[in-house]
Amino acid sequence: MPTVDERLVEDIAEHDRYYHIEDFVTYLERHLDDEPGVSMDHLHAYADALGYSRERTEELLDERLTDSMTWVSDDVFYRMGDNISIYPLSWHERLADTLDIADYVRVMLESRELSEGDAGIPQPDVLTALEIIANIDRKEGEELLRKQRKQGDIVIYAYQNPEDIVRLPETKE
């Protein structure tokens, strides 16, 4: 059984009434070093520590679990051997060795069905992908965004405050 970090348990418990299964998996994937994804052992250990029903947790996961190696949608979890992730294995493989935010935006744009005129990714989504795939903390991700924006590698347009849309330079209007 994996070791449970009590600090993470306390943080999840503090926000417990707001957490859904996707929040639970995302939080653990952001904070644990499983590569890639989160092991079922870790999910069970944290569910137990929080007093969650293992059966209900597994039921919620099973309803949305896919074996697809490529993007399906925002509302599924991707199986990667014994681990699960909020991102498909293809994203982990393509982005594991880069901190180039343009690469992240490009991969995310290629995979998602975009509505007419939508050519960017919300900044929080990019930051979460950096945390999970590149294994960097949020502050480092924010600093990378600022640096790469200044260098012209990415463009950030305010879409609706406070959520900025990260775009590739060639998508400037």
Side-chain angles (χ1 to χ4, degrees), residues 115-131:
S115 52
E116 186 70 27
D118 188 5
I121 302 294
Q123 185 173 318
D125 292 354
V126 173
L127 290 169
T128 299
L130 282 165
E131 283 181 288

Side-chain angles (χ1 to χ4, degrees), residues 53-71:
S53 162
R54 263 193 196 197
E55 292 77 23
R56 182 66 181 142
T57 300
E58 282 192 25
E59 183 181 298
L60 291 170
L61 290 172
D62 286 345
E63 290 172 357
R64 297 167 52 186
L65 203 54
T66 181
D67 291 321
S68 178
M69 292 185 59
T70 58
W71 183 258

Side-chain angles (χ1 to χ4, degrees), residues 90-149:
S90 63
W91 287 24
H92 285 274
E93 291 174 345
R94 289 178 66 187
L95 298 170
D97 298 324
T98 186
L99 292 176
D100 184 342
I101 293 172
D103 287 344
Y104 280 79
V105 171
R106 196 172 291 109
V107 166
M108 294 170 93
L109 286 172
E110 286 172 4
S111 302
R112 295 179 176 190
E113 287 186 27
L114 302 172
S115 52
E116 186 70 27
D118 188 5
I121 302 294
Q123 185 173 318
D125 292 354
V126 173
L127 290 169
T128 299
L130 282 165
E131 283 181 288
I132 289 172
I133 297 171
N135 200 26
I136 63 172
D137 68 36
R138 197 96 169 168
K139 293 254 184 251
E140 286 177 272
E142 291 168 352
E143 184 57 37
L144 276 173
L145 274 170
R146 281 189 290 279
K147 178 182 174 191
Q148 292 181 25
R149 179 182 187 191

